[in-house]
Amino acid sequence: MGGGAVATTGSTAAINHLIDPRRKWYNNRRIITLNAWIVLLLITSSNNGYDGSMMNGLQTLTQWNDYFHHPTGGKLGLLNAIQSIGSLVALPIAPYLSDGLGRRSAIFIGALIMCCATAIQTASQSVGMFIGARFLIGFGLTFAANAAPMLVTEISYPTYRAPLTSAYNSLWYSGAIVAGWTTFGTFRINNTWSWRIPSALQALPAVFQVCLVWFCPESPRYLIGKGKDAAALKTLAYYHADGDEQDRLVRYEFEEIKAAIEFDRTVAANVGWKSLFATPGNRKRMRIIIAIAFFSQWSGNGLVSYYLNQVFNSIGITDPTTQLLINGILQIWNLFWALLAAFLVDRIGRRILFMTSVLGTLLFFTLQTICSALFAQRGSDQAAHAVIAFIFLFYAAYDIAFSPLIVSYTVEILPYQLRAKGLTIFNFTISLTLIFNQYVNPIALGRLGWKYYIVYVCWLAFEAVFLWFYVVETKGRTLEETAAMFDGAEATEQIVGQAAQQAHIVHEPLEEKPSTSFHENTLGLNKA
């Protein structure tokens, strides 16, 4: 199998010259409205972030620990892992809801389940009831999390697609911030409402989606895939061209979507689960998608995401107030870096962000490991303070790629017919890694202490090598062009050419881009 990242020697987006430069996110009423609906979809990710930070906070609350009889070991691991288990159960169903009933329907069903589940979680009278509620939260969240990022990337105005889709996973931290500061604010309540209030607030994003998601536009790709071409054209025209169905951008988008879907059905035969691995192009997609899903959770971040209190305890920071305060500040720091990278993704490029991120995490996690060892061996306060500093620097590095890009990169390299199923494989991989983290990390930390960090240092070095060889640069392309890259230059030319012909558009000369890969094209995309 040929290795190497693919050289980006293709064209810039074929629609650049079709976009009205006067139509901006801040001065066009239809784009402002569209982006408001996209925000409603983006908050799906907030629910995920809220859960991780809330469980961190609850574990520091004496009231929660007393009520549930101080869970440790396997029981504590199950309390954290059960949401991921619920997600795993729902994963085989999720793509059929997204592709069969529509993106909006899948989000509504998922949000409705989450509303019911958080009510049960808030009213929990036993640890079994709490665990059952968290299972249902994971179950419902999977439906919404499968459909929401796809709908974001499929309805966005072309120039804002990459930043908005990258903001999806970045907003994980917005939920974490709310949860972190909520638990910090309620920990002084000397009864069960200290943990019931954070549990209840977890429902807020889902409540908004249940009430409003039917007003959001459906995906034009989904509509065309179901033979509803007129509705798709109307949606594109309304939000991308102020209702003008003859606008050149709208006509080209419409025809390119049709051409790409037809190509997937007839030429690429992208139908069914087996097709995910049936062709060289699809195998390359899945290799990257599965790898970045693993990397997103096995880069050392799992230690902080769910077991920050144990990390603090290992370096002598045991005061609950201090732990909660640092946790809250850390989430604000994370959100800043993740959103900054999300809005720079088209300027800097995916490949540079990935490589900068993995090398930064390797450096700072190594230094964190060294300082943790110094504290364990010598009890040095300076080493303990340095660990906190390196946790913050580690997350700044992590956030510039693994927060914004893992979801947006996944959905953009998958063609429409495979997008829901491919994203399901991505989420399935994440669920597996989360279950591993949530069961193994507390046990390994308890037995090995700082020495357990060495495992992640070695793994991060492997990640750096993999990403250097296999990450493909995709900036400057439409969604359909990006997905077609993996099927070879002929596929891209066929889709772009057919769309231009049907839309009666003559493209400007294509701008060639220099290669940004380690390998030349001979080791790139066109080999299995």
Side-chain angles (χ1 to χ4, degrees), residues 161-164 166 340-350 353 404-405 408 412 473 475:
R161 176 185 62 81
L164 286 172
S166 298
L340 177 65
F343 290 105
L344 292 175
V345 66
D346 270 342
R347 294 186 181 183
I348 297 176
R350 284 69 157 164
L353 287 175
L405 290 183
S408 63
E412 74 178 4
E473 183 55 71
K475 72 173 182 177

Side-chain angles (χ1 to χ4, degrees), residues 212-289:
L212 298 174
V213 73
W214 293 115
F215 298 101
C216 178
E218 183 55 274
S219 164
R221 277 87 177 168
Y222 168 78
L223 293 172
I224 290 174
K226 294 297 182 180
K228 300 178 181 179
D229 291 13
L233 180 60
K234 185 176 181 180
T235 299
L236 286 169
Y238 184 87
Y239 288 104
H240 292 188
D242 298 319
D244 182 5
E245 295 187 5
Q246 299 307 313
D247 179 85
R248 298 202 318 151
L249 170 64
V250 168
R251 296 302 308 184
Y252 181 79
E253 285 186 289
F254 177 70
E255 295 296 344
E256 188 180 48
I257 294 168
K258 288 176 62 179
I261 290 176
E262 184 63 21
F263 176 87
D264 289 333
R265 283 176 175 167
T266 57
V267 180
N270 283 330
V271 179
W273 290 95
K274 288 184 179 179
S275 62
L276 288 169
F277 302 94
T279 66
N282 287 346
R283 287 193 290 273
K284 293 179 183 93
R285 291 181 178 104
M286 297 314 300
R287 176 175 60 197
I288 295 171
I289 289 168

Side-chain angles (χ1 to χ4, degrees), residues 401-428:
F402 289 105
S403 289
L405 290 183
I406 57 170
V407 172
S408 63
Y409 195 73
T410 295
V411 297
E412 74 178 4
I413 68 175
L414 287 164
Y416 170 77
Q417 300 284 6
L418 297 180
R419 193 164 290 141
K421 292 181 176 66
L423 187 58
T424 297
I425 296 294
F426 170 85
N427 286 325
F428 175 76

Side-chain angles (χ1 to χ4, degrees), residues 50-171:
Y50 189 101
D51 182 80
S53 188
M54 183 189 74
M55 287 308 297
N56 246 333
L58 294 187
Q59 290 170 60
T60 66
L61 292 178
T62 303
Q63 302 91 319
W64 184 83
N65 280 292
D66 289 344
Y67 194 84
F68 293 114
H69 309 294
H70 298 272
T72 57
K75 183 176 285 188
L76 180 59
L78 180 60
L79 277 163
N80 280 316
I82 192 63
Q83 183 186 357
S84 298
I85 295 172
S87 296
L88 276 175
V89 174
L91 278 172
I93 309 169
Y96 295 102
L97 286 183
S98 296
D99 285 343
L101 300 181
R103 306 332 194 193
R104 294 184 305 175
S105 297
I107 293 168
F108 177 81
I109 292 170
L112 188 61
I113 293 172
M114 284 189 284
C115 287
C116 298
T118 49
I120 297 171
Q121 179 178 264
T122 303
S124 291
Q125 302 297 309
S126 66
V127 68
M129 190 173 177
F130 195 86
I131 289 172
R134 286 179 51 69
F135 174 90
L136 288 175
I137 289 172
F139 188 83
L141 181 60
T142 298
F143 298 145
N146 182 265
M150 293 191 295
L151 187 52
V152 170
T153 207
E154 290 170 359
I155 65 175
S156 293
Y157 192 71
T159 52
Y160 305 126
R161 176 185 62 81
L164 286 172
T165 313
S166 298
Y168 173 84
N169 206 54
S170 302
L171 288 177

Side-chain angles (χ1 to χ4, degrees), residues 151-205:
L151 187 52
V152 170
T153 207
E154 290 170 359
I155 65 175
S156 293
Y157 192 71
T159 52
Y160 305 126
R161 176 185 62 81
L164 286 172
T165 313
S166 298
Y168 173 84
N169 206 54
S170 302
L171 288 177
W172 189 97
Y173 293 117
S174 65
I177 289 169
V178 174
W181 287 102
T182 299
T183 51
F184 181 75
T186 61
F187 87 101
R188 296 185 187 277
I189 300 174
N190 293 319
N191 55 53
T192 60
W193 283 106
S194 61
W195 59 265
R196 293 189 194 276
I197 290 174
S199 295
L201 289 177
Q202 189 170 4
L204 279 181

Side-chain angles (χ1 to χ4, degrees), residues 371 375 379-387:
C371 292
F375 177 82
S380 168
D381 289 340
Q382 291 86 349
H385 295 152
V387 169

Side-chain angles (χ1 to χ4, degrees), residues 291-310:
I292 63 176
F294 271 108
F295 297 168
S296 71
Q297 303 303 320
W298 281 5
S299 297
N301 54 305
L303 295 175
V304 178
S305 294
Y306 280 86
Y307 297 103
L308 184 61
N309 65 314
Q310 291 193 27

